[in-house]
Amino acid sequence: MNHDITQTDGKKPYEPPLLTTISLRPEEAVLSHCKTGGGGGGMMGNCHAHNCMTLGS
Amino acid sequence: MISEVASKPFARMNEITPQLHQVRVAEVSAQFVSVDSAAISLLPPLDQFQVEPGAHDITVQVEWLPNLPVDSGRQLFDSGYTWRLYEAGSSGFRFDFFAPLCGKLPFKRLLIDTSFSHASLQMNQSSFAGMTAVPSPLEYPLDELLIMHRLTQEKAIELHSCGIVTDGAGNLFVGHSGAGKSTTTRLWTARQNVEVLSDDRIIVREHSGQIFMYGTPWHGEGHYASPGSAPLQRIFVLEHGQGNVITRLTRSQMVAELFARSFVPFHRHEYLDSALSFLEQVTNAVPCYIYSFEPDQRAVERILNFRD
């Protein structure tokens, strides 16, 4: 059986499925860190004293 | 940062007039009402999002309790550090918030219905015994969690990104921490007639049949947090590279890349469905690219001169 389909048939050439790996950062996505100072209040300010690093850009 | 009102000792709290604040972030309005005369305050930059009290999407009643009752309920999610989520009855959620200085018990608790429209915020007075200053009940991450969950009811999503507006059009630069959002913000703000809606968190949503980007209070290193908005023209997924190369993404690639850089409640599949469905809608309306850039002004020039 010939699976080749060409442009001359008026159809798009066959492209096999492509698997792509996407990088996730769950520690950023779940808001489980101390945000940069200013938006946080007292408790978040205290986070900085507990070695919680700011996650900026 | 602790506000003047929030820094008053507990003994004086009853002397303070009950308060009502309303904020609006990306067309979502939340009203906070003090129900026991205790002070609540809007800290910067949330105060920039304050609006006149009126019609709103979320009502939050704030109260101080001597202790928070021990509560059961199935745990749905553990953020690993600052908050945990539990079932609350058959039609609601319970968010418990923790901080190292307050011990193992939650220092505040948010009870909210599943439509994210009515909530009770309970502050645990015993968590602050001996402290001369107390935090604002509305401090991060409560405000962001509240809006993020409410967005599941809208056609909207929050993205890890910086939003730059030039000539009324919005370019969105999406990226994980370290991808270059702060650098991009710095490069663009070196120019004139540039507005930064946020340097770390942007909400993308449909409004009047068009896709807009909105600033949020949850800024990055540059402290850009604007309540403004702009029609979304293009989306760029940032990565460090050489030559300022722009590569168009297919729709499926775009949904995957944006979802990986989104803030979505992961504890219910309905919310993920909502997020993915909206991202698919965005792909129909807005072109998306990978932007491999070098950190100098040529990166800005490349975008300004770019045509789809």
Side-chain angles (χ1 to χ4, degrees), chain A residues 8-37:
Chain A
T8 55
D9 298 326
K11 298 179 180 177
K12 289 183 179 179
Y14 173 75
E15 293 182 12
L18 184 65
L19 187 63
T20 305
T21 302
I22 302 293
S23 171
L24 298 173
R25 299 276 185 89
E27 71 280 8
E28 295 177 14
V30 301
L31 310 183
S32 182
H33 54 79
C34 305
K35 199 81 182 72
T36 306

Coordinates of all heavy atoms in Angstrom, one line a residue, chain A residues 8-37:
Chain A
T8 N 0.3 17.3 -6.0 CA -0.4 17.2 -7.3 C -1.7 16.5 -7.2 O -2.6 16.7 -8.1 CB 0.5 16.4 -8.3 OG1 0.8 15.1 -7.7 CG2 1.8 17.1 -8.5
D9 N -2.0 15.8 -6.1 CA -3.3 15.2 -5.9 C -4.3 16.2 -5.3 O -5.5 15.9 -5.1 CB -3.2 14.0 -4.9 CG -2.3 12.9 -5.4 OD1 -2.2 12.7 -6.6 OD2 -1.6 12.3 -4.6
G10 N -3.8 17.4 -5.0 CA -4.7 18.4 -4.5 C -4.8 18.3 -3.0 O -5.7 18.9 -2.4
K11 N -4.0 17.4 -2.4 CA -4.1 17.2 -0.9 C -2.7 17.6 -0.3 O -1.7 17.6 -1.0 CB -4.4 15.8 -0.5 CG -5.8 15.3 -1.1 CD -6.0 13.9 -0.7 CE -7.4 13.4 -1.2 NZ -7.6 12.0 -0.9
K12 N -2.8 17.9 1.0 CA -1.5 18.2 1.7 C -0.7 17.0 1.8 O -1.3 15.9 2.0 CB -1.8 18.8 3.0 CG -2.4 20.2 3.0 CD -2.5 20.7 4.5 CE -3.1 22.1 4.5 NZ -3.3 22.6 5.9
P13 N 0.6 17.1 1.7 CA 1.4 15.9 1.9 C 1.3 15.4 3.4 O 1.1 16.2 4.3 CB 2.9 16.4 1.6 CG 2.8 17.8 1.8 CD 1.4 18.3 1.4
Y14 N 1.4 14.1 3.5 CA 1.3 13.5 4.9 C 2.4 14.0 5.8 O 3.6 14.0 5.4 CB 1.3 12.0 4.8 CG 1.3 11.3 6.1 CD1 0.1 11.3 6.9 CD2 2.5 10.8 6.6 CE1 0.2 10.7 8.2 CE2 2.5 10.2 7.9 CZ 1.3 10.1 8.6 OH 1.4 9.5 9.9
E15 N 2.0 14.4 7.0 CA 3.1 14.7 8.0 C 2.8 13.9 9.2 O 1.7 13.9 9.7 CB 3.0 16.2 8.4 CG 3.4 17.1 7.2 CD 3.3 18.6 7.7 OE1 3.2 18.8 8.9 OE2 3.4 19.5 6.9
P16 N 3.8 13.1 9.6 CA 3.6 12.3 10.8 C 3.4 13.1 12.0 O 3.8 14.2 12.1 CB 4.9 11.5 10.9 CG 5.9 12.3 10.2 CD 5.2 13.0 9.1
P17 N 2.7 12.6 13.0 CA 2.5 13.3 14.3 C 3.9 13.7 14.9 O 4.8 12.9 14.8 CB 1.8 12.3 15.2 CG 1.1 11.4 14.2 CD 2.0 11.3 13.0
L18 N 3.9 14.9 15.4 CA 5.2 15.4 16.0 C 5.0 15.5 17.5 O 4.0 16.2 18.0 CB 5.5 16.7 15.4 CG 6.9 17.4 15.8 CD1 8.0 16.5 15.3 CD2 7.0 18.8 15.2
L19 N 5.9 14.9 18.3 CA 5.8 15.0 19.7 C 6.8 16.1 20.2 O 8.0 16.1 19.9 CB 6.3 13.7 20.4 CG 6.1 13.6 21.9 CD1 4.6 13.7 22.3 CD2 6.7 12.3 22.4
T20 N 6.2 17.1 20.9 CA 7.0 18.2 21.4 C 7.0 18.3 22.9 O 5.9 18.1 23.5 CB 6.5 19.6 20.8 OG1 6.5 19.5 19.4 CG2 7.4 20.7 21.3
T21 N 8.1 18.5 23.5 CA 8.2 18.6 25.0 C 8.1 20.0 25.4 O 8.9 20.9 24.9 CB 9.5 18.0 25.5 OG1 9.6 16.6 25.1 CG2 9.6 18.0 27.0
I22 N 7.2 20.4 26.2 CA 7.0 21.7 26.7 C 7.5 21.8 28.2 O 7.1 20.9 29.0 CB 5.6 22.2 26.7 CG1 5.0 22.1 25.2 CG2 5.4 23.6 27.2 CD1 5.7 23.1 24.3
S23 N 8.3 22.7 28.5 CA 8.9 22.8 29.9 C 7.8 23.5 30.8 O 7.3 24.5 30.5 CB 10.1 23.7 29.8 OG 10.5 24.0 31.1
L24 N 7.6 22.8 31.9 CA 6.7 23.4 32.9 C 7.4 23.9 34.1 O 8.5 23.4 34.4 CB 5.6 22.3 33.4 CG 4.7 21.8 32.3 CD1 3.9 20.6 32.8 CD2 3.8 22.9 31.8
R25 N 6.9 24.8 34.8 CA 7.5 25.3 36.1 C 6.4 25.3 37.2 O 5.9 26.4 37.5 CB 8.0 26.8 35.9 CG 9.1 26.9 34.8 CD 10.5 26.6 35.4 NE 11.5 26.9 34.4 CZ 12.1 28.1 34.2 NH1 11.8 29.1 35.0 NH2 13.0 28.3 33.3
P26 N 6.1 24.2 37.7 CA 5.0 24.1 38.7 C 5.2 25.0 39.9 O 4.3 25.6 40.4 CB 5.0 22.6 39.0 CG 6.3 22.1 38.6 CD 6.7 22.9 37.4
E27 N 6.5 25.2 40.3 CA 6.7 26.0 41.5 C 6.3 27.5 41.2 O 6.0 28.2 42.2 CB 8.2 25.9 41.9 CG 9.2 26.6 41.0 CD 9.6 25.8 39.8 OE1 8.9 24.7 39.6 OE2 10.5 26.2 39.1
E28 N 6.3 27.9 40.0 CA 5.9 29.2 39.7 C 4.4 29.3 39.4 O 3.7 30.3 39.8 CB 6.6 29.7 38.4 CG 8.1 29.9 38.5 CD 8.8 30.3 37.2 OE1 8.1 30.7 36.3 OE2 10.0 30.2 37.1
A29 N 3.9 28.2 38.9 CA 2.5 28.3 38.4 C 1.5 28.2 39.6 O 0.3 28.7 39.4 CB 2.2 27.1 37.5
V30 N 1.8 27.7 40.7 CA 0.9 27.6 41.8 C 0.9 28.7 42.9 O 0.3 28.5 43.9 CB 1.0 26.2 42.5 CG1 0.8 25.1 41.5 CG2 2.3 26.0 43.2
L31 N 1.6 29.7 42.6 CA 1.7 30.9 43.5 C 2.1 30.4 44.9 O 1.5 30.8 45.9 CB 0.3 31.6 43.6 CG -0.4 31.9 42.3 CD1 -1.7 32.7 42.6 CD2 0.5 32.8 41.4
S32 N 3.2 29.7 44.9 CA 3.6 29.2 46.2 C 4.9 29.8 46.6 O 5.8 29.1 47.3 CB 3.8 27.6 46.1 OG 4.2 27.1 47.4
H33 N 5.1 31.0 46.3 CA 6.4 31.7 46.6 C 6.1 33.1 47.1 O 4.9 33.6 47.0 CB 7.3 31.7 45.4 CG 6.7 32.3 44.2 ND1 6.6 33.7 44.1 CD2 6.1 31.7 43.1 CE1 6.0 33.9 42.9 NE2 5.7 32.8 42.3
C34 N 7.1 33.8 47.5 CA 6.9 35.2 47.9 C 7.1 36.0 46.7 O 8.1 35.9 46.0 CB 8.0 35.5 49.0 SG 7.9 34.5 50.4
K35 N 6.2 36.9 46.4 CA 6.3 37.7 45.3 C 7.2 38.9 45.6 O 7.4 39.2 46.7 CB 4.9 38.3 44.9 CG 4.7 38.8 43.5 CD 4.5 37.7 42.5 CE 4.5 38.3 41.1 NZ 5.7 38.7 40.6
T36 N 7.7 39.5 44.6 CA 8.5 40.7 44.7 C 7.9 41.7 45.7 O 6.7 41.9 45.6 CB 8.8 41.4 43.4 OG1 9.3 40.4 42.5 CG2 9.8 42.5 43.5
G37 N 8.7 42.3 46.6 CA 8.2 43.2 47.6 C 7.4 44.3 47.0 O 7.5 44.7 45.8

